[in-house]
Amino acid sequence: MKIGHTTFPRLGVIAALVCSSTLVAAQTRISAPPNNYTPAQDVELGLKAASEARQQLPVMRDDAVTSYVEDVGHRLVAAIPPELRRSEFRYTFEVVNVREINAFALPGGPMFVNRGMIEAAQTEGEVAGVMAHELSHVVLRHGTAQASKATKYEIGQVAGAVIGSIIGGGWGQVISTGTQFGLGTAFLRFGREFEQQADLEGAQIMARAGYDPRDMANMFKTIEKQGGSGGPQWLSDHPNPGNRYDYINKEAQSLRVDNPIRDSRGFDQVRAHLHQLPAAPTTEQATRDARNGRTRGTTGSTRPENVPNGRVQPPSNSYKRYDLGRSIRIAVPSNWRQLQDNDSVTFAPDGAYGQYRGQSVFTHGIELGIARNESHDLQSATDELIDSLARSNPNIGRPAGYDRIAIGNRRGLRTEMANTSEINGQRETIAIYTTQMQDGNLLYTIGVAPRDQYGQYRDVFERIVSSLQLRD
Ligand SMILES: [Zn+2]
């Protein structure tokens, strides 16, 4: 079936919807996959991850750009089929000032579109195509459906884990050798089945909103072409299930679009506007700038790594509780920040963390993680952890021995080691606490403090470890 070529100017979202009635015969029926989370949890997790994203990524505060993407987004939202609407969900649309071709949507509705995606698109329909695909992951609740299937060890606040998978690298490199959670990508990286669902649902939403669904297939081709080495992040998060273009185009044939949106003035204007701005930085530059405390949203050259300056407030006596996934609860001094990557979570005060020779480092604080444990023996698993620590920290001493302690009502081990900081040459003490999860994997907590302050920090580490609650 051919798509008409009426060229009415766009009259805004409402008018466009009124005149774009769509016949939805013979379209593929999509139903949301099984999900252990409630829609309210989607919203909660998405909001947390979104606020983290806003801290780490340069969200544009440019009304011309933002309102354009919001217009497209709300037009698509208005076309969500009634059976998939969720009154709890709040759809928001923001543009990130980075050049990679990427976009991501979080459970419950927050969506972020990279400036590079808008710049790479040929038409508004192509922008709408990516957004409709992302929106479909949200309405089908794929993020939490995926997390429902994921490993039960959801260490690291799930929100933070999402960010780790967006910006990659970073925290945990210090000791991450041999650790794995397989969680970091739980919300954003989907399998073939979910991808095909999002493609087809997205095509249907596009058609209902008055867009030509074939533009979605065109945009995916553009993304593939501009892949470069390793391909764009979008494609690794949204792998081609195979025959993507064919089945989208086939679906498009079953979707009649009356009065499709052909007016491109809004799109042309926003592109011209973006063209006048300084070029967007890469995500890596932008996130490094954000960590270094530059004003968000600015562009330009990057600064040298920020080495921790050691000017650190003493640990607060009030403690803040964190749920790390659904299995682990912990309390840490309320003036420590949570720093996250795919493999571990670090809590540290300002001035105590940063980057050194491309690695994340900290001078005061704790890191928590789970290491794979093949032997299922607590002591040998702890030995392996210490070996991997020694490989990345050449100055570290060997532990004198292990104390047997209880952690979360389980058998645990504690030991201390001396180290000379590679960052500032200072002597520091490293305290290690380990126990086992139900499947035998090793839960570890590593405390780090300068040796001359260790007396104070040891009490803090003990209090943190005694706060651990395990519900795996
Ligand atoms: Zn996808």
Side-chain angles (χ1 to χ4, degrees):
M1 192 178 299
K2 268 199 155 176
I3 297 206
H5 285 276
T6 327
T7 52
F8 291 141
R10 267 172 53 198
L11 300 171
V13 174
I14 303 300
L17 283 171
V18 169
C19 41
S20 66
S21 68
T22 304
L23 186 71
V24 284
Q27 65 185 39
T28 310
R29 258 191 70 85
I30 312 279
S31 41
N35 198 314
N36 296 340
Y37 292 76
T38 64
Q41 285 176 309
D42 277 46
V43 172
E44 186 193 336
L45 291 166
L47 286 176
K48 269 187 199 163
S51 84
E52 186 80 8
R54 288 185 200 104
Q55 282 173 33
Q56 305 220 13
L57 298 169
V59 172
M60 294 185 84
R61 307 283 173 218
D62 182 320
D63 200 46
V65 182
T66 307
S67 61
Y68 173 75
V69 171
E70 282 176 344
D71 275 359
V72 175
H74 290 309
R75 182 188 302 260
L76 294 168
V77 166
I80 296 170
E83 67 273 17
L84 290 175
R85 288 196 187 144
R86 299 258 172 210
S87 57
E88 307 94 320
F89 283 16
R90 291 287 172 270
Y91 297 97
T92 55
F93 303 91
E94 290 163 87
V95 180
V96 182
N97 190 31
V98 291
R99 72 174 65 150
E100 287 85 359
I101 304 178
N102 201 4
F104 61 96
L106 298 166
M111 190 186 297
F112 295 84
V113 179
N114 280 8
R115 179 177 158 191
M117 178 70 82
I118 302 167
E119 289 174 327
Q122 311 281 322
T123 65
E124 175 166 311
E126 294 191 2
V127 175
V130 170
M131 291 175 69
H133 176 100
E134 295 289 346
L135 185 64
S136 300
H137 282 309
V138 176
V139 301
L140 294 166
R141 305 183 56 220
H142 283 164
T144 46
Q146 186 90 344
S148 302
K149 295 196 289 190
T151 165
K152 57 184 172 173
Y153 300 123
E154 296 182 33
I155 196 163
Q157 198 174 37
V158 180
V162 172
I163 300 311
S165 74
I166 294 165
I167 63 177
W171 287 98
Q173 287 179 356
V174 185
I175 53 119
S176 67
T177 322
T179 69
Q180 62 102 33
F181 298 133
L183 167 79
T185 53
F187 275 175
L188 295 175
R189 189 162 295 173
F190 300 114
R192 287 153 181 261
E193 183 199 349
F194 289 3
E195 281 312 299
Q196 187 165 15
Q197 280 201 336
D199 289 342
L200 296 174
E201 188 63 53
Q204 294 171 18
I205 288 174
M206 282 184 86
R208 289 169 59 100
Y211 289 107
D212 182 344
R214 292 174 301 189
D215 282 346
M216 179 194 284
N218 291 340
M219 187 64 199
F220 292 164
K221 276 192 177 150
T222 302
I223 293 171
E224 263 179 19
K225 265 189 231 139
Q226 302 203 3
S229 66
Q233 184 67 38
W234 195 89
L235 271 182
S236 67
D237 289 345
H238 305 267
N240 186 340
N243 300 323
R244 180 167 243 169
Y245 320 110
D246 296 342
Y247 67 68
I248 293 173
N249 288 330
K250 186 157 169 274
E251 187 76 9
Q253 286 169 15
S254 71
L255 301 165
R256 200 178 83 212
V257 186
D258 292 334
N259 299 326
I261 295 159
R262 287 274 179 253
D263 177 44
S264 65
R265 276 181 303 179
F267 179 71
D268 293 342
Q269 278 167 10
V270 91
R271 299 255 303 187
H273 178 71
L274 289 175
H275 198 66
Q276 287 172 344
L277 302 178
T282 64
T283 303
E284 193 198 347
Q285 285 166 349
T287 52
R288 198 161 49 205
D289 290 352
R291 280 194 195 126
N292 290 349
R294 288 172 62 104
T295 311
R296 287 199 301 279
T298 60
T299 59
S301 64
T302 57
R303 294 208 311 200
E305 298 178 310
N306 69 329
V307 173
N309 59 26
R311 288 193 295 277
V312 169
Q313 280 185 358
S316 169
N317 282 324
S318 75
Y319 276 54
K320 185 176 172 194
R321 207 178 62 194
Y322 291 85
D323 283 312
L324 307 175
R326 282 174 292 177
S327 319
I328 298 169
R329 177 170 281 188
I330 193 171
V332 304
S334 57
N335 61 342
W336 289 10
R337 284 179 195 276
Q338 183 188 28
L339 307 149
Q340 177 73 48
D341 85 345
N342 290 348
D343 296 326
S344 61
V345 57
T346 300
F347 294 96
D350 282 341
Y353 55 88
Q355 298 279 314
Y356 180 72
R357 295 188 180 164
Q359 292 208 310
S360 301
V361 292
F362 65 110
T363 57
H364 305 63
I366 64 151
E367 170 156 335
L368 205 77
I370 291 178
R372 196 205 305 261
N373 173 11
E374 306 292 356
S375 69
H376 287 203
D377 168 69
L378 177 60
Q379 179 151 345
S380 47
T382 307
D383 290 341
E384 283 171 23
L385 173 75
I386 288 170
D387 288 344
S388 80
L389 267 180
R391 282 195 292 275
S392 48
N393 295 271
N395 303 325
I396 210 164
R398 302 303 295 182
Y402 296 124
D403 302 326
R404 299 191 177 283
I405 57 167
I407 297 176
N409 291 323
R410 294 180 194 175
R411 226 159 47 79
L413 294 176
R414 170 180 57 202
T415 191
E416 290 170 5
M417 295 179 299
N419 188 36
T420 304
S421 168
E422 276 191 275
I423 309 160
N424 52 22
Q426 280 177 8
R427 300 289 294 163
E428 61 189 16
T429 303
I430 295 177
I432 296 187
Y433 303 83
T434 55
T435 189
Q436 281 173 287
M437 302 302 281
Q438 293 290 9
D439 68 356
N441 283 332
L442 187 74
L443 173 71
Y444 63 82
T445 304
I446 299 174
V448 177
R451 189 170 65 174
D452 57 3
Q453 297 166 38
Y454 184 66
Q456 178 191 10
Y457 277 86
R458 183 188 165 138
D459 293 344
V460 174
F461 299 153
E462 297 279 327
R463 184 167 164 192
I464 291 169
V465 169
S466 67
S467 80
L468 269 170
Q469 292 175 36
L470 308 175
R471 287 166 297 180
D472 57 316

